[in-house]
Amino acid sequence: MLYTGKGGVGKTTTAAAAAVGAARRGRRTLVISADAAHSLGDVLERRLGPEPIEIEPGLDALEIDARVETRRYWERIQEFLVSLFLHQGIEAVVAEELAMLPGAEEITTLLAVERYASDGSYDFVVLDCAPTDSTLRLASLPDVAHGMVRIALPVFQALSGVTVPIARKLTAVPLPAAGVFGDVEDLLYRKLVALRRRITDEGTSVRIVLTPERMVIDEARRAFRELMLFGVPCDAVVMNRMLPPEAEGEAFFAGWMQLQEERRREVEALFAPLPVLTAPLQEDEVTGVERLARLCEQIFTRVEPHAVLCQAPRIRFERDGDAYLAVLPMPGARADELDVAKIDDDLIVTTPSRRRTLKLPRRIASLGLSGAKLEGAELLVRFTRSADAAAEAD
């Protein structure tokens, strides 16, 4: 369960509360901080490190050290890149920074989470993510990187088999050892495929934490749309810092109460069919397991914190007479913000901040893209045979 939201909305506290509640309901629970700010330890009132430590029976916690995890998966690849940059006359410190490939830290963060999620030690894993945009990058990277496999893997295999042994006799430039290619193949093919499967699995979900403020709601709505585009399931929204019922009779809070109720109804409509859970404004900061347990009871009043609460719409393909439709959930999107194209066997959908390349089923890949339109909260992309192809088939 991934918790995300705009910075400052209380996602770390909400994630920790869910973890404490799940552990006290008998689930072996691990809560992980993937936020570079690492405030999870402050919320739990414990000093955390890169290995799990017990907070109380049934509950462990850790803070991921992205550099440690990057060395675990990329060490030999990085060593080769550093040697290559040093050969080009680049200073050692700069070479080490350049060897940190774009997205490497985010990918290795997810690989660390996958390791704990799949080893059987825990029933429930809670991930306290970085603020929204970083989470979107984190959640979409496995899908983006998976597309590299079809292109990069055959190249790496060819290089390791023929090119490198020959090239070593012809140049003084550092060349990768066979182990480097093995690491690349293992990372691209095995680990990323498993990671992509985990991210889009029905047992994985994202919960968006927000507050009743216009900018926060707008950012959360965009995040919801992008997550749907990449097939990452969401199952709930947590609306934090709502004024408690005791404030209703106070004249000073009358306008705030009315505004919050309007925003709550707006969030329910924007994020349908996701349930909207609420957390009241607290008198003080919520830290320590006992306060977190009480907060959990306030948020998850009629549901379990470890249960998947809703199955959000997924990308699907439908037949429509002689044509086919790709139906993509796009809540809150505008037609002028989207660009749709078909290149070879891929459908490419571009939003103002993300691009999704979707591998089409074989039967649809042979058809032509004949149109796309927004209908409610869904983007309908239509595929038909060309007139020439239809005549030939007849």
Side-chain angles (χ1 to χ4, degrees), residues 55-69:
I55 304 301
E56 63 176 14
L59 176 63
D60 293 350
L62 68 88
E63 293 176 338
I64 289 177
D65 186 328
R67 289 190 174 269
V68 170
E69 296 300 327

Side-chain angles (χ1 to χ4, degrees), residues 330-365:
M330 294 292 288
R334 299 200 319 262
D336 60 354
E337 295 178 325
L338 304 176
D339 184 70
V340 180
K342 180 179 180 291
I343 300 177
D344 296 328
D345 296 344
D346 296 329
L347 173 65
I348 300 173
V349 180
T350 306
T351 72
S353 56
R354 293 287 184 278
R355 174 178 292 176
R356 172 80 195 273
T357 300
L358 184 65
K359 182 71 174 175
L360 292 170
R362 186 178 301 174
R363 188 175 186 87
I364 299 177

Side-chain angles (χ1 to χ4, degrees), residues 47-76:
R47 185 179 180 85
L48 302 180
E51 298 297 329
I53 67 166
E54 185 178 76
I55 304 301
E56 63 176 14
L59 176 63
D60 293 350
L62 68 88
E63 293 176 338
I64 289 177
D65 186 328
R67 289 190 174 269
V68 170
E69 296 300 327
T70 300
R71 284 195 298 271
R72 185 195 304 271
Y73 295 104
W74 296 80
E75 186 171 19
R76 286 196 289 192

Side-chain angles (χ1 to χ4, degrees), residues 32-209:
I32 301 174
S33 171
D35 189 345
H38 286 325
S39 55
L40 180 61
D42 298 330
V43 171
L44 293 170
E45 297 182 336
R46 292 288 298 275
R47 185 179 180 85
L48 302 180
E51 298 297 329
I53 67 166
E54 185 178 76
I55 304 301
E56 63 176 14
L59 176 63
D60 293 350
L62 68 88
E63 293 176 338
I64 289 177
D65 186 328
R67 289 190 174 269
V68 170
E69 296 300 327
T70 300
R71 284 195 298 271
R72 185 195 304 271
Y73 295 104
W74 296 80
E75 186 171 19
R76 286 196 289 192
I77 301 170
Q78 282 186 297
E79 287 175 353
F80 160 67
L81 291 175
V82 169
S83 67
L84 184 61
F85 294 139
L86 289 174
H87 180 79
Q88 299 299 319
I90 297 173
E91 294 182 6
V93 174
V94 178
E96 290 178 3
E97 289 299 317
L98 289 174
M100 291 291 293
L101 300 176
E105 289 193 0
E106 289 90 344
I107 284 289
T108 49
T109 294
L110 283 178
L111 289 172
V113 177
E114 164 65 10
R115 188 171 75 251
Y116 290 111
S118 61
D119 71 359
S121 300
Y122 299 99
D123 303 316
F124 184 48
V125 177
V126 178
L127 185 62
D128 170 35
C129 296
T132 312
D133 189 65
S134 295
T135 303
L136 291 170
R137 179 176 168 82
L138 196 72
S140 63
L141 266 174
D143 186 90
V144 174
H146 182 260
M148 295 166 56
V149 173
R150 287 179 293 159
I151 300 171
L153 192 54
V155 174
F156 286 127
Q157 289 170 335
L159 284 173
S160 62
V162 179
T163 310
V164 170
I166 295 174
R168 280 205 179 100
K169 299 176 182 180
L170 303 176
T171 180
V173 175
L175 294 171
V180 174
F181 290 108
D183 286 353
V184 171
E185 181 176 350
D186 182 61
L187 183 66
L188 287 180
Y189 185 68
R190 297 180 183 87
K191 290 187 173 67
L192 284 178
V193 169
L195 191 55
R196 184 169 179 261
R197 190 179 301 117
R198 173 75 66 179
I199 286 291
T200 58
D201 184 76
E202 290 185 354
T204 297
S205 192
V206 176
R207 287 180 180 161
I208 302 172
V209 182

Side-chain angles (χ1 to χ4, degrees), residues 1 3 14-15 17-29 123-126 203 205 207 235-238 275 277 293 295-310:
M1 198 72 69
Y3 280 82
T14 306
V20 171
R24 293 193 172 189
R25 287 164 171 80
R27 299 298 189 277
R28 295 171 301 165
T29 302
D123 303 316
F124 184 48
V125 177
V126 178
S205 192
R207 287 180 180 161
D235 80 316
V237 173
V238 180
L277 311 176
L295 177 61
C296 179
E297 296 301 325
Q298 292 175 317
I299 299 173
F300 301 96
T301 53
R302 294 181 296 275
V303 295
E304 298 290 349
H306 53 272
V308 176
L309 304 180
C310 172

